[in-house]
Structures are given as structure tokens and as C-alpha cells.
């Protein structure tokens, strides 16, 4: 038992995807989940019932005793948004590497070429990052980047503004300029289930203003983006995320990643982390 | 022509890539294969009772086999066909049943005997490497000759995506140069897991 | 440490980077557009991405993840996220001793003054992976070292063996310039089948 790791909520399934009971891994341990009379349940390896929350289209559980409720995204409840279950993709990397990649914009021109970024528009301007102590979350704001096709709903290149939020060690919420509704934010999340410390299942979920695209088109767009990241994530060495400075070299564009690593260290979240230089 | 398409499908990518290389416009209809299983929906089963993708609709013609679709797209482009294509189109389905299956297992949790799928994938890659090496001895880079045909387009996706299923491409130099030759073709388009050649871009 | 063959030059044409390894050391082997070979640690110091997935642009190797460019000494000289920044000298990739001889790219993980292996005028045929350790392969031929193993059977072949991870190796085969490369290639496939104990 390590309370700093166990007492968090983790996504383990898309609610609409639960039919027959099935097994999966959480933090390296086997769990079983299912649904009966419309209510989801999760059991640990010994058959003991684990706490559950159904939120954002996903089933969440915890192997410990969470001392606070699963975070909320109040904006996602605004009328007119379409909620998109993107489904999951498994990746052989630390869950923390998957989150850190989601917080990074500098890779867009090279990994999501002509979609989320394109040369020569590679420069990352200074943005604001802080750990909001009152809620114990990492926030990055005023992140701006030129994007050829920011969303399925975007007609052409625009400078997109982003806000990133890390409300839990293996989750991130992105608030992003909404092409059809200037002034509103699209919400794109990355919920990561740590299967082990070097293997994860990633459940993206979205709450978008988009009256034109089909649901399948929105799912496709996000799967395309995440699978472009997967081939990066499976080829980073080490698979775990180094938390000690010195093993990897950040620049100003990596301020969010630096804050994320510092925050993980502060709260003692070491699952999937590498603490000593190899 | 309408392609019922899944963005992560290697077989759908064969069709998108072939059309892009030919400059043939396709209307793409996104199908939520995962997690929606939309390819098994009544509307899709009405179009293709096998419940598979890709599906190409060209007027009254509906094609559901990627090899047939490649032949159809290149019907007026004999330079993209060769008498040796058939054996490589068969080989492409071996790649799909081994490397393709391992990829679906590792990425979206398809049920598979993963060790068997990967071992069959390695056997297929060794065959491909041996053939491409022979071709290079003759000064040829593509599967059937000096220029690419549907054989190359059929075999390229599942080969290039092998690492997605936990099968390394590192030990195959001839496959690597062949893939590079395909990625260098005018009109080439990528899919997730296959990067474009950034060295060809014009930086600031 | 002795020289190890890591690739054939014809498999690493100018402007190309490939992954390779010596035991547990992952390498990015690349050739500049003007034809110089380099062997580097296969890891970008920024976020640990394998450089062998990157691309050669001008006389630099760039990482696929964020496009950081490294010049031929291994120093980073361009960070696309900060185009006006001159990167500090401290951002650099570990490099290894690398030489080209006889159509083979040789690497030594430590400084060495040993001469490059003699190839007896043979020329490269092909490289192929074998599921057997380099030491076991050498022992199979009664050789004491796997750097190069001369095999005389129905064909005259020199095998330069590269130890890889997980008890596997890469065999780089050379033969007389006039040898039929296709025959040598078939002989190699059969040899591998014998060594691995599986049908070719």
C-alpha cells in the first residue's frame, strides 16, 4: 500500500463498453469489473468491492481510500456540447509519459504534421504555469500555437489558445479554442489507466461544440491524433518518466512538463516514475 | 467513389494511399470501428454482409476486399499492375493475419494468440526481406520491379505498422529501404504510426 | 573493446538514419548527405526519444519528437520551439567511435587504437538477424572471437557478427567480389535455419 498512489481515482472502462464482466489491470494488480441493473461494480483480486464513480462517460475506481471526490469539469455540462467516447488505446509506456506528452505543444509540427502544427510555425511563446495550491492541480494558461487544422470543425489554419489542467496524476483536461464558437472552449481530456508502471490504457474523452461533424468523424479525428503520439511514447527511453532533473533537458516550452514533474514529486506520486538517473 | 473508412485500419489505408498516389479523389465516410463497432451496424451490414472494412462504392459497384479495390482503382493505370501482383496480394493477407492481428491485439485489445501472431509476422518479414534483398541484387527496389505496383501498396501498411504490434523492424535493412522508397513517392500520404519523410520538408 | 560491425554502408545511404545496437547499447547510425557516418547513443537528451526514428536534414540529425537538430559533433544547434535561441553546449548526444571500411560500418563503444578488421578483399552481401548469441555463433564455427569469422565451405564467406540484446545477433556477410550474391544469400538463409533449428 502506498496512499500517495492508491488513494486516487482511476479510469478503468467506458461505461457504454461494459457488457459481460471482464478483467483488467490497475497499478499492476488484477481487477474485475462489470455492470448489473445499470450500476457498475469493480472487485479487486481478492473479490473485495472497490469504490466506484461513474463520470465523463467512464467508470472510475480506486484501490485505496480516496480522500476527495473525483474532479469535476463543470463546463462539460453546458448545453449544446456533444460528448464523445473516443474508446481506448493501449500503450507500452509509463502512464506519466502519456500525460506529459498530452501537455506538450512543441511536438505538434513534427508528430501531428499539417493538423495540429506545421513548419515553419514551430515557435512556442512564453505562457503561464502554476501549481494551484488551493485545489492541488497543475494549470498552464495562455498557451498559443498556430494550427493548420485545430479540430474536425476547423476550416483552416488558426492560432489556437490552450489551457491545460492536471487535476489528478494520470489525468489531464485541455480547454481549447472552439473553431465554430469563438469565446467558448472545447474540452478534450486524457484519462490514463495505469495497467502497470510501464504499460497504460488511454481513454480520451471530449465535450465539443460541433454541429456539423458526425460522431464517427470526431472519434476518428481524436484516434488519429492519439495514435500519432503512440509511436513516440513507445520509443522513449526510459519507459518511466524521470522526475530528477539531469536525465532530460527541458526548455522554456516545457514549463508545463517541468511543473508536472515537480508536482508529482511533491505529492509523492512515484508510480511510473524513475527517481534515480539510470 | 466513396470509401467507408476507419482511420486506424491498415487495409483502409491501402486504399487511401493508392488513391492518393494516383491522384484519384475519394469521398471518405468515417466508420466508428472502435469503440463503436459501427461496421457491424445494420446499415453497414446491408452494404457489406461480411461486416468488414474497407468498403468502396463506385456507382453500383461495391467492393469489400482490399485487393479487389486496389485492382479496381488501377484498372486504367496499367503501370501500377504487374503479372507478379497476385502472389504479393496473397502475401499481404498473410501480413494482415499475423502483423495486423498483433497490432489490433496490442492497440485495442483484440483477442489473439499474440505469440503465434508475432512469430508468424517475423516469418513473413523474413520472407519479405529475403525477396527485397534479391531485388536489390538486381538493382530493383520494389517488389515486382523498378517501379511500384499494387503489390507494394498492399504489403506496405501492415509491414510499416509492425512495431504497433510489438514486432521490431530494426533487423531488416532491405525492408527499411523499400519502405523509404514508398514514403518518397510523389503524392504519398501517411497514417498514424507511419511518419512522413520530414527531411523532404522545407523548414524556415 | 573491439570493433563491431553495425551495418553495411549500402544499407545506410546518405541522408538516412537507422537503429542498431551493440548488446544493450542502443545506437543511431546515420550518414550525412555528404557521406560521413556517425554512431550515436539512440536517445535524444530532451525527452528520451529514439534518434533513429528521426530524420537527416542538411548535415544534422533531427529528433522526430520536437525537431531538435544535432550537428556532426553531437551538439544541439537548433531547437524549433525557440528558433532564436542558441542552444547551450551542454545539450549533446553521446557519440561513439565510428569508421567505414570495406563497405561495413564499424563501431567501438570505447576509444580504440586497434586496426579495423581485415576483410581479405571481400565485399558485403547482406545482413541478417539470427536468434542466437554472438558467442554461441562463434563457438559453432570454433572461433574464439565473433568480430569476424572466416567460413570456408562450399562458398568462401566472412561473417562479421554484431551482438544484440536478448541473446540474438546480426550477421553481416561478405564474400569475394566475383561471388554470386544470390547464392551466398541462400547459403546464409540455410545457415540460419540450421543454427536456429527451424526450417528455412
Amino acid at each position: 500500500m502506498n496512499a500517495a498512489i492508491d488513494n486516487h481515482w482511476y479510469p478503468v472502462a467506458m461505461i457504454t463498453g461494459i457488457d459481460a464482466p471482464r478483467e483488467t489491470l490497475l497499478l499492476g494488480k488484477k481487477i474485475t469489473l462489470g455492470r448489473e441493473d445499470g450500476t457498475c461494480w469493480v472487485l479487486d483480486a481478492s473479490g473485495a468491492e472497490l469504490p466506484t464513480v461513474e463520470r465523463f462517460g467512464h467508470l472510475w475506481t480506486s484501490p485505496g481510500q480516496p480522500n476527495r471526490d473525483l474532479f469535476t469539469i463543470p463546463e462539460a455540462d453546458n448545453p449544446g456540447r456533444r460528448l464523445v467516447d473516443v474508446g481506448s488505446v493501449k500503450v507500452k509506456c509509463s502512464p506519466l509519459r502519456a500525460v506529459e506528452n498530452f501537455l506538450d505543444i512543441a511536438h505538434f509540427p513534427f508528430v501531428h504534421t499539417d493538423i495540429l502544427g506545421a513548419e515553419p510555425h514551430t515557435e512556442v511563446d512564453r505562457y503561464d504555469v502554476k501549481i494551484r495550491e488551493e485545489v492541488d492541480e497543475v494549470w498552464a494558461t495562455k498557451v498559443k500555437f498556430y494550427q493548420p487544422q485545430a479540430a474536425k470543425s476547423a476550416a483552416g489554419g488558426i492560432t489556437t489558445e490552450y489551457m491545460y489542467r492536471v487535476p489528478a496524476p494520470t489525468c489531464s483536461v485541455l480547454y481549447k479554442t472552439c473553431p465554430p464558437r469563438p469565446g467558448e472552449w472545447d474540452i478534450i481530456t486524457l484519462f490514463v489507466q495505469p495497467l502497470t508502471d510501464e504499460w497504460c490504457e488511454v481513454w480520451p474523452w471530449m465535450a465539443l461544440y460541433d454541429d456539423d461533424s458526425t460522431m464517427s468523424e470526431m472519434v476518428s479525428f481524436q484516434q488519429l491524433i492519439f495514435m500519432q503520439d503512440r509511436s513516440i511514447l513507445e520509443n522513449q527511453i526510459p519507459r518511466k518518466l524521470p522526475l530528477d532533473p539531469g536525465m532530460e533537458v527541458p526548455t522554456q516550452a516545457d514549463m508545463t512538463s517541468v511543473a508536472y514533474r515537480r508536482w508529482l514529486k511533491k505529492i509523492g506520486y512515484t508510480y511510473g516514475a524513475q527517481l534515480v538517473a539510470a | 467513389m466513396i470509401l467507408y473508412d476507419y482511420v486506424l485500419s491498415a487495409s483502409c489505408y491501402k486504399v487511401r494511399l493508392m488513391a492518393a498516389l494516383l491522384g484519384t479523389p475519394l469521398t471518405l465516410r468515417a466508420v466508428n470501428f472502435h469503440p463503436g463497432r459501427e461496421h457491424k451496424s445494420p446499415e453497414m451490414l446491408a452494404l457489406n454482409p461480411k461486416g468488414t472494412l474497407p468498403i468502396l462504392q463506385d456507382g453500383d459497384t461495391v467492393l469489400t476486399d482490399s485487393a479487389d479495390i486496389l485492382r479496381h482503382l488501377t484498372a486504367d493505370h496499367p503501370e501500377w499492375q504487374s503479372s507478379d501482383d497476385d502472389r504479393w496480394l496473397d502475401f499481404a493477407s498473410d501480413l494482415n493475419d499475423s502483423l495486423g492481428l498483433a497490432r489490433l491485439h496490442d492497440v485495442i485489445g483484440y483477442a489473439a494468440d499474440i505469440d503465434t501472431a508475432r512469430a508468424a509476422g517475423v516469418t513473413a518479414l523474413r520472407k519479405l526481406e529475403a525477396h527485397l534483398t534479391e531485388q536489390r541484387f538486381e538493382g530493383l527496389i520494389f517488389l515486382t520491379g523498378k517501379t511500384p505496383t499494387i503489390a507494394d501498396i498492399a504489403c506496405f501498411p501492415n509491414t510499416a505498422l509492425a512495431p504497433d504490434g510489438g514486432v521490431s523492424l530494426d533487423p531488416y535493412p532491405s525492408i527499411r529501404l523499400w519502405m523509404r522508397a514508398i514514403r518518397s513517392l510523389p503524392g504519398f500520404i501517411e497514417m498514424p504510426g507511419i511518419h512522413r519523410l520530414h527531411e523532404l520538408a522545407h523548414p524556415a | 573493446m573491439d570493433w563491431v560491425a553495425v551495418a553495411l554502408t549500402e544499407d545506410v545511404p546518405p541522408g538516412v538514419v537507422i537503429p542498431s545496437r551493440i548488446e544493450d547499447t542502443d545506437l543511431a547510425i546515420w550518414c550525412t548527405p555528404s557521406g560521413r557516418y556517425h554512431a550515436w547513443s539512440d536517445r535524444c537528451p530532451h525527452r528520451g526519444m529514439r534518434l533513429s526514428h528521426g530524420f537527416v536534414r542538411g548535415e544534422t540529425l533531427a529528433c522526430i519528437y520536437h525537431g531538435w537538430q544535432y550537428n556532426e559533433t553531437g551538439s544541439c544547434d537548433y531547437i524549433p520551439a525557440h528558433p532564436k535561441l542558441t542552444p547551450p553546449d551542454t545539450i549533446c548526444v553521446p557519440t561513439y567511435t565510428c569508421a567505414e571500411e570495406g563497405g561495413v560500418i564499424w563501431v567501438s563503444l570505447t576509444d580504440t587504437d586497434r586496426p579495423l578488421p581485415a576483410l581479405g578483399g571481400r565485399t558485403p552481401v547482406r545482413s541478417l538477424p539470427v536468434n542466437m548469441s554472438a558467442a554461441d555463433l562463434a563457438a559453432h564455427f570454433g572461433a574464439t572471437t565473433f568480430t569476424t569469422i572466416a567460413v570456408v565451405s562450399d562458398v568462401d564467406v566472412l561473417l562479421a557478427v554484431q551482438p544484440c540484446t536478448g541473446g540474438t545477433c546480426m550477421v553481416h556477410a561478405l564474400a569475394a567480389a566475383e561471388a554470386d550474391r544470390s547464392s551466398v544469400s541462400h547459403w546464409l538463409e540455410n545457415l540460419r535455419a540450421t543454427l536456429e533449428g527451424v526450417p528455412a
Side-chain angles (χ1 to χ4, degrees):
Chain A
M1 277 296 283
N2 180 339
I5 294 163
D6 291 342
N7 289 354
H8 289 279
W9 291 103
Y10 295 98
V12 291
M14 203 172 72
I15 291 167
T16 56
I18 304 172
D19 30 43
R22 64 182 164 85
E23 284 180 3
T24 180
L25 288 174
L26 179 61
L27 301 166
K29 298 197 179 82
K30 194 176 82 178
I31 59 170
T32 311
L33 61 91
R35 187 162 54 166
E36 206 167 287
D37 302 327
T39 305
C40 299
W41 51 265
V42 182
L43 304 179
D44 71 10
S46 72
E49 206 161 327
L50 297 180
T52 60
V53 172
E54 296 177 30
R55 194 171 291 172
F56 318 127
H58 288 75
L59 170 63
W60 302 73
T61 192
S62 173
Q65 285 132 11
N67 44 26
R68 59 178 185 174
D69 187 21
L70 173 63
F71 62 89
T72 59
I73 310 175
E75 304 85 346
D77 296 331
N78 295 350
R81 283 188 190 272
R82 293 172 71 194
L83 308 180
V84 186
D85 286 342
V86 178
S88 72
V89 166
K90 290 183 183 176
V91 191
K92 286 195 193 69
C93 73
S94 154
L96 309 179
R97 286 266 193 208
V99 171
E100 183 178 83
N101 173 72
F102 187 75
L103 302 174
D104 176 69
I105 56 173
H107 72 285
F108 289 171
F110 301 97
V111 178
H112 309 295
T113 313
D114 291 346
I115 306 171
L116 301 184
E119 293 183 274
H121 308 283
T122 55
E123 185 159 10
V124 177
D125 290 332
R126 185 175 276 280
Y127 51 83
D128 294 342
V129 181
K130 64 192 269 189
I131 295 171
R132 294 190 181 169
E133 305 283 354
E134 70 283 10
V135 287
D136 206 13
E137 296 184 355
V138 181
W139 277 78
T141 56
K142 298 178 190 163
V143 185
K144 293 191 180 70
F145 206 66
Y146 174 84
Q147 303 202 310
Q149 197 197 343
K152 185 68 203 162
S153 59
I158 51 171
T159 296
T160 310
E161 187 169 345
Y162 278 44
M163 288 193 295
Y164 284 106
R165 170 186 173 202
V166 183
T170 69
C171 296
S172 181
V173 182
L174 161 64
Y175 303 82
K176 176 178 181 180
T177 306
C178 172
R181 289 208 199 181
E184 298 274 8
W185 300 95
D186 272 340
I187 294 168
I188 301 174
T189 70
L190 197 77
F191 303 144
V192 183
Q193 172 184 357
L195 299 168
T196 72
D197 54 1
E198 296 190 355
W199 188 31
C200 57
E201 187 151 357
V202 177
W203 305 88
W205 180 78
M206 306 192 286
L208 308 180
Y209 290 112
D210 181 341
D211 297 328
D212 298 325
S213 306
T214 65
M215 188 59 83
S216 300
E217 284 171 337
M218 292 187 286
V219 169
S220 288
F221 185 82
Q222 202 55 24
Q223 288 189 358
L224 165 88
I225 297 299
F226 188 73
M227 278 299 286
Q228 289 178 327
D229 289 317
R230 186 179 183 272
S231 62
I232 299 292
L233 292 169
E234 295 209 330
N235 286 288
Q236 285 176 276
I237 307 168
R239 283 190 199 277
K240 292 195 181 82
L241 184 75
L243 291 191
D244 289 320
M247 188 155 179
E248 295 187 350
V249 187
T251 70
Q252 186 191 296
D254 302 310
M255 282 163 53
T256 318
S257 132
V258 170
Y260 175 58
R261 293 185 186 198
R262 196 178 296 144
W263 178 71
L264 290 172
K265 208 165 176 183
K266 186 188 88 150
I267 65 173
Y269 197 92
T270 52
Y271 195 78
Q274 179 156 316
L275 290 168
V276 184
Chain B
M1 277 185 279
I2 299 169
L3 175 67
Y4 291 85
D5 182 45
Y6 176 52
V7 67
L8 302 184
S9 154
S11 298
C12 292
Y13 172 59
K14 292 175 193 175
V15 181
R16 296 196 301 271
L17 175 58
M18 190 70 252
L21 294 169
L22 294 167
T24 302
L26 284 181
T27 303
L28 299 182
R29 293 277 162 78
V31 178
N32 185 346
F33 178 93
H34 169 79
R37 292 180 55 80
E38 205 184 352
H39 56 302
K40 303 287 188 194
S41 68
E43 299 77 26
M44 297 304 298
L45 288 174
L47 205 54
N48 175 16
K50 287 187 296 179
T52 57
L53 293 175
I55 304 168
L56 186 82
Q57 197 170 25
D58 185 5
D60 292 336
T61 307
V62 175
L63 299 170
T64 60
D65 176 87
S66 60
D68 292 343
I69 297 174
L70 293 178
R71 287 197 189 89
H72 181 76
L73 287 173
T74 54
D76 296 327
H77 300 269
E79 71 279 14
W80 279 94
Q81 298 194 353
S82 134
S83 55
D84 283 342
D85 288 338
D86 283 356
R87 61 181 276 231
W88 292 109
L89 293 172
D90 287 345
F91 183 75
S93 46
D94 294 347
L95 293 173
N96 199 52
D97 295 343
S98 52
L99 298 174
L101 180 63
R103 175 169 173 266
L104 289 175
H105 172 275
D106 279 18
V107 176
I108 58 174
Y110 251 54
D113 178 343
I114 187 63
D115 294 336
T116 305
R118 287 195 188 125
V122 169
T123 303
L125 288 175
R126 285 180 169 195
K127 275 185 202 161
L128 184 61
E129 173 74 12
H131 175 75
L132 288 167
T133 301
E134 293 288 330
Q135 292 291 91
R136 289 174 69 200
F137 292 155
E138 306 293 325
L140 307 171
I141 190 75
F142 294 105
L143 282 172
T144 66
K146 268 192 163 48
T147 60
T149 71
I150 55 175
D152 299 281
I153 304 310
C155 293
F156 173 71
N158 277 306
T159 303
L161 296 168
D164 276 354
V167 177
S168 174
L169 290 172
D170 292 0
Y172 309 108
S174 295
I175 290 177
R176 184 161 38 240
L177 291 173
W178 167 72
M179 292 193 302
R180 192 178 172 86
I182 293 171
R183 292 160 73 214
S184 306
L185 293 171
F188 176 83
I189 54 168
E190 68 262 45
M191 75 164 276
I194 303 174
H195 293 288
R196 74 176 64 178
L197 291 173
H198 284 283
E199 40 277 72
L200 302 177
H202 299 288
Chain C
M1 177 111 193
D2 209 346
W3 293 101
V4 175
V6 296
L8 304 180
T9 56
E10 62 187 344
D11 293 337
V12 194
V16 165
V17 59
I18 69 156
S20 190
R21 59 194 44 74
I22 296 176
E23 289 164 350
D24 291 331
T25 304
D26 291 319
L27 302 171
I29 310 292
W30 66 287
C31 183
T32 69
S34 32
R36 286 183 296 275
Y37 297 94
H38 297 285
W40 291 1
S41 167
D42 192 12
R43 183 175 184 274
C44 178
H46 175 219
R47 285 293 176 256
M49 180 64 197
R50 288 186 187 275
L51 286 169
S52 56
H53 287 239
F55 52 95
V56 178
R57 198 184 267 177
E59 304 291 306
T60 70
L61 178 61
C63 177
I64 188 79
Y65 197 2
H66 298 93
W68 289 26
Q69 292 180 11
Y70 297 89
N71 67 29
E72 289 186 72
T73 67
S75 290
C76 180
D77 63 7
Y78 184 63
I79 296 178
H82 305 297
K84 296 173 214 78
L85 177 82
T86 302
D89 295 339
T90 47
I91 305 179
C92 57
V93 182
T95 63
Y96 298 104
T97 308
C98 180
E100 183 271 320
E101 177 69 34
V104 179
I105 304 169
W106 303 91
V107 170
S108 173
L109 294 181
T110 53
D111 288 337
T112 181
D113 49 13
R114 291 194 191 211
L116 287 160
L119 305 177
R122 298 180 189 87
T123 59
V125 176
R126 67 174 288 202
S127 306
L128 89 172
V130 180
N131 288 332
M132 174 182 255
S133 73
D136 286 350
L137 194 141
H140 174 84
F141 288 106
T144 52
T145 165
F146 52 73
T147 304
T148 56
I149 303 168
V151 179
V152 180
S153 62
D154 42 345
V155 280
D156 166 60
V157 178
L158 190 76
L159 306 177
V161 185
Q162 172 189 2
C164 299
T165 39
T168 68
C169 67
M170 211 46 195
V171 173
H172 308 278
L174 298 94
E178 63 277 12
D180 175 49
R181 302 216 291 172
S182 188
S183 308
V184 176
S185 178
H186 286 132
W187 177 84
L188 280 166
E189 298 266 348
N190 289 330
L191 170 68
R192 174 167 69 185
T194 306
L195 294 174
E196 293 183 349
V198 295

